[in-house]
Amino acid sequence: QQQVKQSPQSLIVQKGGISIINCAYENTAFDYFPWYQQFPGKGPALLIAIRPDVSEKKEGRFTISFNKSAKQFSLHIMDSQPGDSATYFCAASYSGNTPLVFGKGTRLSVIA
Amino acid sequence: EADIYQTPRYLVIGTGKKITLECSQTMGHDKMYWYQQDPGMELHLIHYSYGVNSTEKGDLSSESTVSRIRTEHFPLTLESARPSHTSQYLCASSDAGGAGSEAFFGQGTRLTVV
Protein backbone atom coordinates (compact mmCIF):
# COMPACT_ATOMS: atom_id res chain seq x y z
CA GLN A 1 0.00 0.00 0.00
CA GLN A 2 1.48 3.27 -1.08
CA GLN A 3 1.66 5.65 1.86
CA VAL A 4 2.13 8.82 -0.19
CA LYS A 5 0.17 9.24 -3.42
CA GLN A 6 1.39 11.87 -5.87
CA SER A 7 -0.30 13.35 -8.94
CA PRO A 8 -0.04 14.07 -11.76
CA GLN A 9 2.63 11.76 -13.11
CA SER A 10 3.63 14.35 -15.72
CA LEU A 11 2.87 18.01 -16.22
CA ILE A 12 3.45 20.49 -19.03
CA VAL A 13 3.22 24.17 -18.18
CA GLN A 14 3.77 27.31 -20.22
CA LYS A 15 6.59 29.60 -19.16
CA GLY A 16 5.24 32.07 -16.63
CA GLY A 17 2.40 29.79 -15.58
CA ILE A 18 1.71 28.08 -12.26
CA SER A 19 2.73 24.46 -11.75
CA ILE A 20 0.75 22.52 -9.16
CA ILE A 21 1.63 19.05 -7.88
CA ASN A 22 -0.48 17.29 -5.30
CA CYS A 23 0.20 14.63 -2.68
CA ALA A 24 -2.02 12.74 -0.27
CA TYR A 25 -0.92 10.63 2.68
CA GLU A 26 -2.50 7.98 4.87
CA ASN A 27 -0.44 7.86 8.04
CA THR A 28 -1.58 10.57 10.46
CA ALA A 29 1.66 10.14 12.41
CA PHE A 30 3.59 11.83 9.59
CA ASP A 31 4.93 15.19 10.79
CA TYR A 32 7.48 16.22 8.18
CA PHE A 33 6.62 16.83 4.52
CA PRO A 34 9.46 17.74 2.15
CA TRP A 35 9.55 18.22 -1.59
CA TYR A 36 12.60 17.11 -3.57
CA GLN A 37 13.71 18.21 -7.03
CA GLN A 38 15.72 15.95 -9.30
CA PHE A 39 17.48 16.91 -12.54
CA PRO A 40 18.64 14.25 -15.03
CA GLY A 41 21.87 12.60 -13.95
CA LYS A 42 21.64 14.02 -10.43
CA GLY A 43 20.32 12.79 -7.11
CA PRO A 44 17.21 14.44 -5.61
CA ALA A 45 17.80 17.64 -3.63
CA LEU A 46 15.58 19.21 -0.98
CA LEU A 47 13.51 22.06 -2.39
CA ILE A 48 11.21 23.04 0.47
CA ALA A 49 9.66 21.33 3.50
CA ILE A 50 6.77 21.92 5.91
CA ARG A 51 5.61 20.64 9.28
CA PRO A 52 1.91 20.23 10.15
CA ASP A 53 1.78 23.15 12.57
CA VAL A 54 1.53 25.58 9.62
CA SER A 55 -0.76 25.57 6.58
CA GLU A 56 1.56 27.24 4.13
CA LYS A 57 5.25 27.86 3.58
CA LYS A 58 6.72 30.03 0.87
CA GLU A 59 10.29 30.23 -0.37
CA GLY A 60 10.71 32.44 -3.40
CA ARG A 61 8.56 31.09 -6.23
CA PHE A 62 7.89 27.81 -4.40
CA THR A 63 4.99 27.37 -1.96
CA ILE A 64 3.78 24.33 -0.03
CA SER A 65 0.12 24.29 0.96
CA PHE A 66 -0.81 21.85 3.70
CA ASN A 67 -4.29 20.61 4.64
CA LYS A 68 -4.05 18.46 7.75
CA SER A 69 -7.73 17.49 7.88
CA ALA A 70 -7.71 16.32 4.28
CA LYS A 71 -4.25 14.73 4.67
CA GLN A 72 -3.05 16.50 1.56
CA PHE A 73 -0.23 18.83 0.64
CA SER A 74 0.75 20.46 -2.60
CA LEU A 75 3.62 22.26 -4.27
CA HIS A 76 2.95 25.43 -6.24
CA ILE A 77 5.60 26.86 -8.54
CA MET A 78 4.77 30.42 -9.50
CA ASP A 79 6.08 32.03 -12.69
CA SER A 80 7.37 28.65 -13.88
CA GLN A 81 10.61 28.77 -15.87
CA PRO A 82 12.23 26.30 -18.29
CA GLY A 83 14.94 25.79 -15.66
CA ASP A 84 12.27 24.35 -13.36
CA SER A 85 11.88 21.39 -15.73
CA ALA A 86 12.74 18.42 -13.53
CA THR A 87 11.19 15.55 -11.60
CA TYR A 88 9.56 16.48 -8.31
CA PHE A 89 8.97 14.12 -5.40
CA CYS A 90 6.85 14.66 -2.34
CA ALA A 91 7.79 12.73 0.77
CA ALA A 92 6.80 12.23 4.39
CA SER A 93 8.25 10.92 7.61
CA TYR A 94 7.56 11.01 11.34
CA SER A 95 9.52 11.39 14.54
CA GLY A 96 11.67 8.48 15.41
CA ASN A 97 13.64 6.06 13.34
CA THR A 98 11.71 6.23 10.08
CA PRO A 99 13.15 6.90 6.63
CA LEU A 100 11.40 9.21 4.20
CA VAL A 101 8.51 7.71 2.23
CA PHE A 102 8.44 9.11 -1.29
CA GLY A 103 5.65 9.66 -3.80
CA LYS A 104 6.11 8.26 -7.29
CA GLY A 105 7.29 11.55 -8.76
CA THR A 106 6.02 14.14 -11.24
CA ARG A 107 7.93 14.97 -14.39
CA LEU A 108 7.50 18.71 -15.02
CA SER A 109 8.23 20.31 -18.39
CA VAL A 110 8.06 24.08 -18.68
CA ILE A 111 7.84 25.17 -22.30
CA ALA A 112 8.53 28.62 -23.72
CA GLU B 1 26.54 21.03 -2.62
CA ALA B 2 26.13 17.88 -0.55
CA ASP B 3 29.27 16.06 0.55
CA ILE B 4 28.13 12.59 -0.32
CA TYR B 5 29.90 10.60 -2.97
CA GLN B 6 29.05 7.48 -4.91
CA THR B 7 31.37 5.41 -7.03
CA PRO B 8 31.33 4.30 -9.70
CA ARG B 9 28.90 6.59 -11.56
CA TYR B 10 28.32 4.01 -14.27
CA LEU B 11 28.97 0.27 -14.25
CA VAL B 12 28.35 -2.45 -16.83
CA ILE B 13 29.02 -5.99 -15.63
CA GLY B 14 28.23 -9.54 -16.60
CA THR B 15 25.68 -11.80 -14.96
CA GLY B 16 26.95 -13.64 -11.89
CA LYS B 17 29.62 -11.10 -10.96
CA LYS B 18 29.98 -9.79 -7.43
CA ILE B 19 29.94 -6.00 -7.18
CA THR B 20 30.15 -3.37 -4.47
CA LEU B 21 28.72 0.10 -4.87
CA GLU B 22 30.53 2.63 -2.72
CA CYS B 23 28.97 5.50 -0.78
CA SER B 24 30.78 7.93 1.48
CA GLN B 25 29.75 11.12 3.25
CA THR B 26 31.83 13.71 5.05
CA MET B 27 29.01 15.39 6.99
CA GLY B 28 29.20 13.12 10.04
CA HIS B 29 25.62 11.96 9.52
CA ASP B 30 24.45 8.98 11.53
CA LYS B 31 21.67 7.98 9.13
CA MET B 32 22.38 6.56 5.68
CA TYR B 33 20.12 5.04 3.04
CA TRP B 34 20.16 3.17 -0.24
CA TYR B 35 17.37 3.71 -2.75
CA GLN B 36 16.75 1.99 -6.06
CA GLN B 37 15.25 4.24 -8.71
CA ASP B 38 13.45 2.56 -11.58
CA PRO B 39 13.09 4.03 -15.10
CA GLY B 40 9.65 5.27 -14.12
CA MET B 41 11.33 7.52 -11.54
CA GLU B 42 9.93 5.92 -8.38
CA LEU B 43 12.35 5.65 -5.43
CA HIS B 44 12.36 2.39 -3.49
CA LEU B 45 14.12 2.13 -0.12
CA ILE B 46 16.24 -1.03 -0.06
CA HIS B 47 18.50 -0.58 3.00
CA TYR B 48 19.13 1.93 5.74
CA SER B 49 21.37 2.42 8.75
CA TYR B 50 21.06 4.64 11.81
CA GLY B 51 24.61 4.22 12.98
CA VAL B 52 27.69 2.04 13.05
CA ASN B 53 26.89 -1.68 13.14
CA SER B 54 23.20 -0.94 12.55
CA THR B 55 21.50 -1.95 9.29
CA GLU B 56 17.89 -2.56 8.33
CA LYS B 57 16.11 -3.75 5.20
CA GLY B 58 13.76 -1.36 3.47
CA ASP B 59 10.44 -1.78 1.74
CA LEU B 60 11.75 -3.29 -1.49
CA SER B 61 12.93 -6.86 -1.34
CA SER B 62 16.52 -6.86 -2.43
CA GLU B 63 19.21 -9.46 -2.95
CA SER B 64 21.85 -6.96 -1.91
CA THR B 65 23.56 -6.56 1.46
CA VAL B 66 25.05 -3.57 3.23
CA SER B 67 27.51 -2.92 6.03
CA ARG B 68 28.20 0.04 8.30
CA ILE B 69 31.59 -0.34 9.92
CA ARG B 70 32.42 3.36 9.80
CA THR B 71 30.07 6.32 10.15
CA GLU B 72 31.08 7.81 6.82
CA HIS B 73 30.93 4.66 4.71
CA PHE B 74 27.90 2.60 3.63
CA PRO B 75 28.72 0.17 0.80
CA LEU B 76 26.12 -1.98 -0.97
CA THR B 77 27.09 -5.40 -2.29
CA LEU B 78 25.47 -7.69 -4.83
CA GLU B 79 26.90 -11.20 -4.47
CA SER B 80 25.71 -12.36 -7.88
CA ALA B 81 24.44 -9.73 -10.26
CA ARG B 82 21.46 -10.45 -12.53
CA PRO B 83 19.85 -8.44 -15.36
CA SER B 84 16.95 -7.69 -12.99
CA HIS B 85 19.42 -5.67 -10.88
CA THR B 86 19.85 -3.18 -13.72
CA SER B 87 18.82 0.15 -12.22
CA GLN B 88 19.93 3.46 -10.76
CA TYR B 89 21.13 3.20 -7.14
CA LEU B 90 21.04 6.30 -4.96
CA CYS B 91 22.73 6.71 -1.60
CA ALA B 92 21.60 9.35 0.90
CA SER B 93 22.40 10.53 4.41
CA SER B 94 20.80 12.69 7.07
CA ASP B 95 21.62 13.75 10.58
CA ALA B 96 19.93 12.31 13.63
CA GLY B 97 17.64 15.31 14.04
CA GLY B 98 14.20 15.11 15.56
CA ALA B 99 11.02 15.25 13.55
CA GLY B 100 12.43 14.94 10.08
CA SER B 101 15.63 16.29 8.67
CA GLU B 102 17.01 16.90 5.19
CA ALA B 103 18.31 13.88 3.32
CA PHE B 104 21.29 14.57 1.09
CA PHE B 105 21.62 12.38 -1.99
CA GLY B 106 24.64 11.32 -3.99
CA GLN B 107 24.60 11.49 -7.79
CA GLY B 108 23.85 7.81 -8.08
CA THR B 109 25.36 4.73 -9.69
CA ARG B 110 23.76 3.52 -12.89
CA LEU B 111 24.21 -0.24 -13.00
CA THR B 112 23.68 -2.36 -16.10
CA VAL B 113 23.94 -6.14 -15.85
CA VAL B 114 24.31 -7.92 -19.17
Side-chain angles (χ1 to χ4, degrees), chain B residues 2-111:
Chain B
D3 295 320
I4 180 164
Y5 308 100
Q6 291 185 242
T7 57
R9 288 291 313 278
Y10 304 93
L11 180 61
V12 180
I13 61 165
T15 298
K17 298 292 186 183
K18 177 180 179 179
I19 59 167
T20 296
L21 307 185
E22 301 288 348
C23 177
S24 295
Q25 50 96 5
T26 59
M27 296 172 282
H29 288 166
D30 285 323
K31 299 179 180 179
M32 296 190 74
Y33 315 87
W34 276 103
Y35 289 88
Q36 185 173 336
Q37 185 168 34
D38 60 27
M41 307 178 296
E42 190 172 1
L43 293 159
H44 301 280
L45 180 68
I46 49 176
H47 295 284
Y48 62 100
S49 167
Y50 282 174
V52 171
N53 295 324
S54 156
T55 62
E56 300 286 345
K57 290 190 175 183
D59 303 321
L60 181 67
S61 175
S62 173
E63 294 160 341
S64 59
T65 59
V66 292
S67 63
R68 190 86 183 276
I69 299 173
R70 304 196 317 265
T71 297
E72 63 271 21
H73 195 214
F74 191 42
L76 181 143
T77 298
L78 282 167
E79 291 292 333
S80 179
R82 294 211 296 264
S84 61
H85 295 138
T86 295
S87 190
Q88 165 97 323
Y89 292 85
L90 289 163
C91 179
S93 72
S94 65
D95 66 26
S101 57
E102 179 177 0
F104 294 87
F105 282 83
Q107 294 203 73
T109 293
R110 182 162 296 281
L111 173 65

Side-chain angles (χ1 to χ4, degrees), chain A residues 18-57:
Chain A
I18 301 173
S19 303
I20 302 174
I21 305 171
N22 300 299
C23 279
Y25 63 95
E26 295 293 326
N27 191 339
T28 55
F30 285 145
D31 58 7
Y32 175 66
F33 303 91
W35 284 90
Y36 280 77
Q37 180 187 54
Q38 184 179 25
F39 293 105
K42 302 286 188 181
L46 179 67
L47 185 62
I48 186 172
I50 197 169
R51 301 190 191 280
D53 53 343
V54 297
S55 60
E56 185 175 283
K57 183 174 181 180

